[in-house]
Amino acid sequence: MNRVRLLVLNAALGPLDYRVPDHLHVEPGSVIIAPLGPRQVFGIAWESERLPGAEVPDARLRPILDVMPVPPLRAPLRRLIEWTADYYCAAPASVARMSLSSGAALRGGGTLTEYRLSGAMPSRLTPQRDVAISALDGEQGTIRELVDLAGVSEAVLRGLVNAGVMEPVVVDIDRPYPLARSDHARPSLSDLQQGAADRFVDAVKAREFAPMLLDGVTGSGKTETYFEAVAQAVDEGRQVLVLLPEIALTENFLKRFASRFGVPPVVWHSNQKQSERRRAWRQVAEGGAQVVVGARSALFLPFANLGLIVVDEAHEVSFKQDDGVRYNARDVAVMRARFEQIPVILASATPALESLQMAEAGIYEKIDLPSRFGAASLPDIAIVDLREQVPPRGRWLAPPLVAGIEERLARGEQALLFLNRRGYAPLTLCRNCGFRFQCPNCSAWLVEHRLSKRLACHHCGHEVPSPSLCPECGEADCLTACGPGVERIADEVAELFPDARIQVVTSDTLSNPEKIAAFVDAAESGAIDVIVGTQLVTKGYHFPELTLVGVVDADLGLEGGDLRAAERSYQQIAQVAGRAGRASKPGEVMIQTRHPEAPVIAALAAGDRDAFYEAETEARRHAGAPPFGRWAAIIVSSEDEAEAREAARIIGNAAPRLDDLAVYGPAPAPLSLLRGRYRYRLLINARRSAAVQQTIRDWLGELSFAPGVRVGVDIDPYSFV
Ligand code: ADP
Ligand code: ZN
């Protein structure tokens, strides 16, 4: 009899066996719909020897219902799902769910009606119709898309359809994308760039696993260089995946890609429309999507014919997912390349210590671009010691930085002020009674946002309108903002320079691709004088007139007990500094600090990256931290404080006693209340050789907890809150 083992997309269940009716064909990787009790589940046919489960006798098997009309998931992807589940102590079903992330795509094709101008003219030409007809020349799309393009109402377009001025066109909803042209606008590379590009192109041709670290200073042309490898893959008819750390960076990338290859790449991220996601998914699976640019979840897409992976800004912490399956997309990308037997390029100006260490050990090949392209040189970095250069009371910009901005304004150049804090002020308190505004769901202060006139929690999204009275003592005009956020810095600049055109750049102000595109256009065309932004502006952008970068508070990132705080601070400041002087005009960076002697700041001031990495390496070695030792965290949470504490105690009491692995805690997490759940943490520090995952599985597998308790495992954690 024909039987099949399914990895069903339900993390609470193990693998299940089914019967395959004669009229259905199943092979490993087939996507299947099967009965489960009275319901139906999706599952993936798996090699039964790789997915141990209970053997059910033939007579008790239920038949599967159908095989979905999509290509079976290939073996390299199945191995990746197994590896990810195993390494990050996650349920295979939870990982597999990321591969089958568009339910709509699984159900086969369909059509969609788009509209375009027919060439006929209306008998009655209203001004609105006139506007629409000129805006839609050469365009085709759904009514909704055309409404956006034409800037008229849906009723106007429907009227044009009824009048025969626009005609319907039926298209396949999963239609292929226009093809990238590898020689559309090939740049002429410098010798140094050409050397790197040749190496990448050879690696694509070789079709073997090759992990490579592209270590190039900001503005050295890393993107142009790896685009040559993309071109090679496209010429060979193979697919490419480019991972970016944030959706906000996609817009900029799309533009650059389109000017190099003639068409935009295929985009994949969680904020897309359902129809776009399903089309992308199907084209990825059928090989029609040549180059996919996406956020970390694109890593689990079912590529038909992957030839290259690029992880851009590979050091970024946002590649680490902090809930659900807690994986690090940078590391999983390397594993996918290994299973697919293809090259993977990790590109960064400030590589993670772990990546540099891999290069040093000879596991990654290191490719360097040590200087900026063309006439551009790296900016000069100056320290502004806030203990000597004191900003006026209630202000945050010290005199040298103010003078620097003034100079730029006078010359018609741009300045960028960086402060990694959204909103106006991180804390609001009552001068009268001392009351502080706190989130009811989290152990965190509410952050004032003046632009939207609200107090907001940055952890759970809880918001209240900014009050005029103190809720505690009822006094009016007594609420004081403490400390600066970007909005407050923007106010300060506006007071100092009333004529300056200022733009605040945060995830609040650039909340969608249109706003990001508008910002990039404005900044490129010189319509903005001073940009005040969070980490969102530290990377990716290339504004030729930007010649001054001011770091408002370089000490901010060093607060908190995060293991990687120093490294992250270094990377962030080096990245934002890299925005200055990217074209022919030289750049200057001013770093405001109270601790000029801190190794991070000293290394930045001296432009001595190696010194920083050496000091950081020693500190990590000493602490048994990655890459010399390993960390893992166990996070226990419940809506009930006592229940969470009890579960943490049970786990703590059962902790294994081993020579190569130490357990710390349980202790209340720094964020002891998050989204209404009380949290406790245990921290595990192990030698590199220790079998951390197996130990944790054995340890937690024995225990049982109250039903409201969640226990999460975080391997190689980035966040210690
Ligand atoms: P990185 O990614 O290393 O910061 P980019 O690839 O963004 O550097 O390059 C910086 C700027 O220099 C970009 O505007 C890019 O188009 C330009 N550039 C780099 N290399 C070349 C080249 N060979 N020819 C023309 N322009 C280049
Ligand atoms: Zn909250």
Side-chain angles (χ1 to χ4, degrees):
M1 190 181 76
N2 251 339
R3 39 191 304 159
V4 63
R5 177 150 300 171
L6 292 191
L7 171 58
V8 289
L9 294 194
N10 181 334
L13 299 173
L16 297 176
D17 288 358
Y18 288 88
R19 184 162 65 76
V20 181
D22 287 341
H23 68 281
L24 292 177
H25 169 74
V26 167
E27 56 188 291
S30 292
V31 180
I32 282 167
I33 191 148
L36 185 73
R39 292 171 299 127
Q40 301 180 350
V41 277
F42 280 120
I44 303 165
W46 219 266
E47 299 92 325
S48 44
E49 68 279 8
R50 303 194 67 103
L51 197 64
E55 292 295 333
V56 178
D58 283 357
R60 292 201 12 231
L61 292 182
R62 296 177 74 184
I64 61 169
L65 299 171
D66 208 354
V67 180
M68 306 318 280
V70 293
L73 301 193
R74 294 167 53 250
L77 179 53
R78 299 202 300 279
R79 300 297 83 84
L80 185 77
I81 291 171
E82 289 166 358
W83 181 86
T84 305
D86 187 64
Y87 187 86
Y88 293 104
C89 295
S94 305
V95 183
R97 191 180 283 284
M98 298 195 281
S99 289
L100 301 186
S101 45
S102 169
L106 303 179
R107 301 199 183 262
T111 57
L112 174 83
T113 305
E114 293 186 339
Y115 293 86
R116 65 179 175 212
L117 293 174
S118 65
M121 283 309 279
S123 46
R124 202 167 53 83
L125 189 64
T126 63
Q128 291 262 309
R129 287 182 163 191
D130 194 31
V131 167
I133 291 172
S134 34
L136 296 181
D137 187 28
E139 303 288 352
Q140 176 173 322
T142 60
I143 290 284
R144 186 182 301 185
E145 289 163 353
L146 297 183
V147 162
D148 288 343
L149 273 178
V152 299
S153 72
E154 183 167 340
V156 172
L157 293 191
R158 295 271 175 217
L160 289 173
V161 173
N162 291 338
V165 177
M166 295 185 65
E167 60 186 6
V169 191
V170 175
V171 295
D172 176 358
I173 48 177
D174 304 322
R175 62 208 176 284
Y177 295 93
L179 295 180
R181 292 188 299 277
S182 60
D183 56 358
H184 174 74
R186 187 161 252 147
S188 63
L189 298 180
S190 71
D191 288 350
L192 204 64
Q193 291 174 333
Q194 192 63 52
D198 289 347
R199 181 60 204 101
F200 296 146
V201 167
D202 285 345
V204 170
K205 286 183 185 160
R207 304 193 172 201
E208 280 167 7
F209 174 52
M212 298 187 277
L213 179 62
L214 173 55
D215 182 359
V217 297
T218 53
S220 56
K222 292 187 289 298
T223 315
E224 305 292 344
T225 308
Y226 74 66
F227 272 175
E228 293 313 298
V230 173
Q232 177 64 30
V234 165
D235 280 342
E236 291 184 21
R238 311 196 83 201
Q239 294 171 288
V240 179
L241 168 61
V242 179
L243 288 182
L244 298 180
E246 277 168 52
I247 301 173
L249 291 177
T250 330
E251 212 48 39
N252 198 35
F253 184 88
L254 294 184
K255 263 174 97 174
R256 283 190 71 173
F257 188 92
S259 48
R260 169 67 181 83
F261 291 99
V263 299
V266 178
V267 177
W268 178 269
H269 58 70
S270 51
N271 285 9
Q272 278 173 301
K273 282 188 282 189
Q274 263 302 322
S275 59
E276 287 168 2
R277 259 172 99 78
R278 85 163 265 164
R279 180 183 177 199
W281 194 95
R282 289 194 69 99
Q283 285 298 324
V284 165
E286 279 155 23
Q290 291 170 301
V291 181
V292 177
V293 54
R296 57 189 177 222
S297 60
L299 204 45
F300 293 94
L301 285 173
F303 286 92
N305 184 16
L306 195 57
L308 170 70
I309 302 175
V310 178
V311 184
D312 207 345
E313 311 286 358
H315 61 279
E316 274 293 319
V317 291
S318 49
F319 280 121
K320 177 70 164 58
Q321 174 147 310
D322 263 334
D323 50 15
V325 182
R326 293 180 164 92
Y327 66 99
N328 186 325
R330 178 197 66 205
D331 298 342
V332 178
V334 173
M335 290 312 292
R336 178 142 200 188
R338 203 177 111 183
F339 291 124
E340 300 271 0
Q341 288 294 304
I342 57 171
V344 53
I345 301 171
L346 308 181
S348 175
T350 51
L353 198 70
E354 283 93 332
S355 302
L356 284 173
Q357 201 66 30
M358 293 294 265
E360 204 142 283
I363 300 168
Y364 294 174
E365 181 180 350
K366 191 156 170 298
I367 290 152
D368 296 313
L369 292 177
S371 56
R372 282 194 160 174
F373 174 74
S377 55
L378 284 167
D380 286 329
I381 298 187
I383 299 295
V384 178
D385 187 339
L386 290 174
R387 297 169 307 186
E388 287 162 14
Q389 303 281 354
V390 186
R393 221 182 117 70
R395 305 220 170 188
W396 316 95
L397 305 177
L401 187 48
V402 173
I405 300 170
E406 189 167 15
E407 240 173 71
R408 290 338 182 268
L409 291 172
R411 291 208 296 256
E413 296 171 2
Q414 288 169 328
L416 162 64
L417 300 178
F418 166 64
L419 177 67
N420 205 19
R421 247 200 215 138
R422 289 160 51 207
Y424 184 84
L427 167 67
T428 307
L429 60 75
C430 170
R431 243 181 296 118
N432 191 40
C433 72
F435 175 81
R436 295 166 171 217
F437 284 85
Q438 197 176 356
C439 176
N441 312 316
C442 306
S443 32
W445 307 124
L446 293 181
V447 179
E448 181 184 1
H449 287 249
R450 284 223 173 146
L451 294 176
S452 59
K453 301 190 177 58
R454 302 181 92 74
L455 298 178
C457 172
H458 286 181
H459 296 283
C460 72
H462 172 84
E463 280 192 355
V464 291
S466 292
S468 49
L469 307 178
C470 173
E472 189 72 14
C473 65
E475 198 73 17
D477 297 326
C478 60
L479 299 177
T480 313
C482 298
V486 281
E487 293 179 6
R488 196 169 197 176
I489 300 299
D491 274 7
E492 184 172 337
V493 176
E495 277 168 33
L496 290 166
F497 307 107
D499 295 332
R501 294 162 301 173
I502 305 165
Q503 164 96 49
V504 173
V505 178
T506 71
S507 52
D508 304 304
T509 59
L510 297 196
S511 50
N512 62 44
E514 291 74 36
K515 289 184 181 166
I516 296 168
F519 160 67
V520 172
D521 284 345
E524 281 177 355
S525 68
I528 302 175
D529 300 315
V530 182
I531 301 166
V532 186
T534 58
Q535 54 86 28
L536 205 62
V537 286
T538 58
K539 50 200 167 264
Y541 296 115
H542 180 76
F543 301 138
E545 292 300 318
L546 179 58
T547 58
L548 173 67
V549 166
V551 178
V552 176
D553 184 350
D555 309 329
L556 196 61
L558 293 172
E559 293 166 2
D562 190 331
L563 155 73
R564 291 180 179 80
E567 183 182 6
R568 202 176 299 181
S569 259
Y570 182 86
Q571 290 168 332
Q572 233 166 33
I573 296 174
Q575 289 285 346
V576 74
R579 296 313 110 204
R582 289 172 66 90
S584 49
K585 296 181 183 166
E588 184 181 7
V589 180
M590 293 189 186
I591 301 178
Q592 298 197 140
T593 177
R594 272 181 199 80
H595 304 285
E597 72 295 341
V600 175
I601 310 286
L604 284 162
D608 193 349
R609 194 181 91 163
D610 293 346
F612 171 72
Y613 278 112
E614 271 164 34
E616 185 66 11
T617 303
E618 276 326 296
R620 297 269 189 98
R621 198 192 303 274
H622 190 73
F628 305 101
R630 302 183 56 196
W631 291 99
I634 299 176
I635 306 109
V636 184
S637 73
S638 166
E639 289 177 11
D640 183 277
E641 212 294 319
E643 211 174 76
R645 187 165 7 105
E646 174 61 9
R649 194 190 60 80
I650 293 173
I651 295 175
N653 285 350
R657 290 176 207 294
L658 298 168
D659 289 340
D660 56 0
L661 181 151
V663 179
Y664 305 102
L671 255 175
S672 57
L673 178 64
L674 179 63
R675 296 186 198 95
R677 299 181 71 84
Y678 293 88
R679 305 164 77 242
Y680 281 79
R681 293 185 73 100
L682 294 95
L683 211 55
I684 296 144
N685 183 209
R687 296 227 184 98
R688 276 191 66 89
S689 55
V692 178
Q693 287 90 339
Q694 196 50 48
T695 304
I696 293 176
R697 269 192 293 267
D698 292 345
W699 168 15
L700 298 180
E702 304 278 287
L703 308 174
S704 57
F705 310 104
V709 170
R710 258 186 246 152
V711 178
V713 175
D714 193 350
I715 302 289
D716 310 335
Y718 270 53
S719 157
F720 287 78
V721 297

